[in-house]
Amino acid sequence: MMEAASPFLNTYKRFPVTFLRGEGVHLFDTAGKEYLDLLAGIAVVSIGHAHPKLAKAIATQASQLIHTSNLFSNEPNIQLAAKLTSLVDGTFRVFFSNSGTEAIECAIKFARKAAAGKRSTVVCAERSFHGRTLAALAATGQPQKWKGFEPLPAGFVHARFNDLKHFEESIDDSTCAVLLEPIQGEGGVYPATLEFLAGIRKLCDERGALLLFDEIQSGCGRTGSWFSWQQLGARPDVFVTAKGLGGGFPIGCCLVSHELSHHFQPGDHGSTFGGGPLASAAALTVLSVIEEEGLLENSKEIGALLAEELQSLPHVLEVRGRGLMLGVQLDSDIAAQVTTQALEMGVIINAVASSTLRITPPLCLSEKDALHGVSVLGDILSNIQG
């Protein structure tokens, strides 16, 4: 008998594990095996799996109102917008979407609209990742991800990350914006230096370009502040966030500096589902839990502990990142092998590159669980051939 064909489009290379439930920083598969989740759905499950307050908020809102239309307001969305702007001193205005990629598209459209047709080029970074829709893909500085999808939308150029001179050479009279991740995630967890970001801010001011930050992966408390740019001394004109904002419920957001927000008018942009009551109630609860449980400080403390302990392991050349967004640089191309063995031993991590591990656990990770994860990785790296 022929094996039944998969009903899925072949877009993911999945591990042979099916998860059934989660609790805090742990997942359980259909066989009942327990795993320590040090990936959190790639920086998504910010307050942990099956948090009772989040589950209750979603259930309560679902029993009251799931959708109307953005032709009308809904209370959870009003409250969420107010909460988000309060986290950045009330000086930004928000647009809600369903994902980070959509938020990036909004930011790109806004930058071009603000330029009033006089400029259209966006300068991005090599090794960056901004999403998989066509414009976000064109902004992404990883040529291997472009193959098969050309021609990509025009108007995007790429300069070397943390190389201020190369960016200065790339910004010209056609540049409407510079788009950067303060910490490159998919590119290997590379933080921008303070000097680089300060220089980019100055260049944008001098040349009349907007500065856009992609905080899809680094935002919502992951680095120990609400948004990583708040630690870095460079204020963006526009920034986007998603992933951890909903704690697992899909939502994205583009935040625009108040003094620039007039460039968007009704009809310039929109979303059928963005900012719906259910997603807004979920995100509002996530932000409240982060505050109530002191998860910003936990991200700093446990992140520092993890970085220190990981640095001491065999085969580890460098640990990069901030808070609970870490990249572990290995001395050879063994990341996939380490990831597979870790999964077999009940620890979930990610090989973001052939020699780089990515660790982005829930922000509620305890010292005990962090040290257990390091111990498992230490055993693997002590015995691996590389």
Side-chain angles (χ1 to χ4, degrees):
M1 182 180 294
M2 290 183 61
E3 184 178 345
S6 170
F8 296 105
L9 199 61
N10 188 27
T11 56
Y12 299 108
K13 188 176 180 181
R14 290 188 167 102
F15 289 96
V17 176
T18 300
F19 290 116
L20 185 64
R21 65 183 183 90
E23 182 179 342
V25 297
H26 296 94
L27 285 166
F28 301 83
D29 69 15
T30 49
K33 181 178 177 180
E34 181 177 350
Y35 300 78
L36 173 62
D37 185 4
L38 296 183
L39 190 59
I42 311 181
V44 169
V45 189
S46 48
I47 60 173
H49 296 281
H51 195 290
K53 289 187 177 180
L54 180 56
K56 182 180 179 181
I58 292 171
T60 298
Q61 186 59 49
S63 71
Q64 295 174 349
L65 183 67
I66 292 178
H67 180 73
T68 54
S69 159
N70 277 313
L71 296 174
F72 308 95
S73 299
N74 68 79
E75 286 192 350
N77 192 235
I78 294 170
Q79 294 167 4
L80 177 60
K83 180 63 179 177
L84 275 170
T85 56
S86 76
L87 301 179
V88 284
D89 303 323
T91 54
F92 286 81
R93 298 295 177 262
V94 304
F95 175 86
F96 290 104
S97 60
N98 307 289
S99 68
T101 300
E102 291 175 51
I104 286 289
E105 295 276 347
C106 177
I108 293 168
K109 284 182 66 176
F110 181 84
R112 288 184 171 174
K113 184 71 173 3
K118 298 175 182 177
R119 304 176 174 204
S120 60
T121 300
V122 180
V123 180
C124 311
E126 294 176 358
R127 209 175 48 210
S128 62
F129 182 84
H130 298 292
R132 296 185 185 274
T133 55
L134 286 176
L137 185 62
T140 292
Q142 299 185 44
Q144 69 273 22
K145 289 184 167 59
W146 306 339
K147 293 178 181 177
F149 304 107
E150 300 93 343
L152 295 178
F156 298 89
V157 298
H158 298 86
R160 286 185 295 274
F161 191 62
N162 277 334
D163 187 334
L164 186 60
K165 187 175 187 299
H166 198 204
F167 267 81
E168 184 175 7
E169 294 168 351
S170 302
I171 299 171
D172 59 24
D173 291 342
S174 73
T175 304
C176 68
V178 173
L179 172 60
L180 293 170
E181 298 162 275
I183 304 177
Q184 291 189 328
E186 297 294 324
V189 192
Y190 288 92
T193 66
L194 299 181
E195 296 77 14
F196 173 67
L197 289 181
I200 291 292
R201 177 69 274 178
K202 186 171 183 288
L203 276 173
C204 287
D205 290 340
E206 290 173 349
R207 303 194 182 185
L210 299 186
L211 178 56
L212 320 180
F213 280 167
D214 179 340
E215 292 257 18
I216 293 168
Q217 196 167 142
S218 59
C220 299
R222 180 144 298 278
T223 65
S225 56
W226 285 110
F227 303 102
S228 66
W229 64 261
Q230 293 172 307
Q231 302 176 49
L232 302 175
R235 186 182 186 84
D237 299 301
V238 179
F239 73 99
V240 304
T241 194
K243 285 190 179 289
L245 178 58
F249 202 100
I251 186 170
C253 185
C254 178
L255 297 97
V256 175
S257 178
H258 172 55
E259 58 265 28
L260 297 170
S261 61
H262 64 277
H263 289 293
F264 258 1
Q265 294 296 316
D268 284 339
H269 199 53
S271 170
T272 296
F273 298 106
L278 203 53
S280 296
L284 193 61
T285 302
V286 167
L287 297 178
S288 296
V289 168
I290 290 173
E291 285 186 319
E292 293 163 5
E293 298 186 3
L295 299 187
L296 296 183
E297 191 59 34
N298 195 66
S299 295
K300 289 181 184 177
E301 293 178 359
I302 301 301
L305 172 70
L306 264 177
E308 182 179 0
E309 295 293 326
L310 289 165
Q311 186 66 66
S312 67
L313 298 183
H315 294 290
V316 173
L317 296 179
E318 178 186 27
V319 179
R320 299 185 293 267
R322 292 187 178 89
L324 288 174
M325 183 176 177
L326 298 175
V328 182
Q329 184 64 50
L330 304 174
D331 59 9
S332 57
D333 293 339
I334 56 174
Q337 189 178 351
V338 173
T339 299
T340 299
Q341 290 189 24
L343 186 66
E344 292 169 354
M345 296 176 69
V347 174
I348 302 169
I349 55 175
N350 169 240
V352 73
S354 62
S355 61
T356 308
L357 303 173
R358 174 169 49 183
I359 296 178
T360 56
L363 307 186
C364 55
L365 183 70
S366 68
E367 179 177 339
K368 178 183 177 182
D369 285 324
L371 292 176
H372 171 65
V374 171
S375 176
V376 170
L377 292 177
D379 289 342
I380 294 169
L381 289 166
S382 294
N383 293 295
I384 205 164
Q385 299 300 314

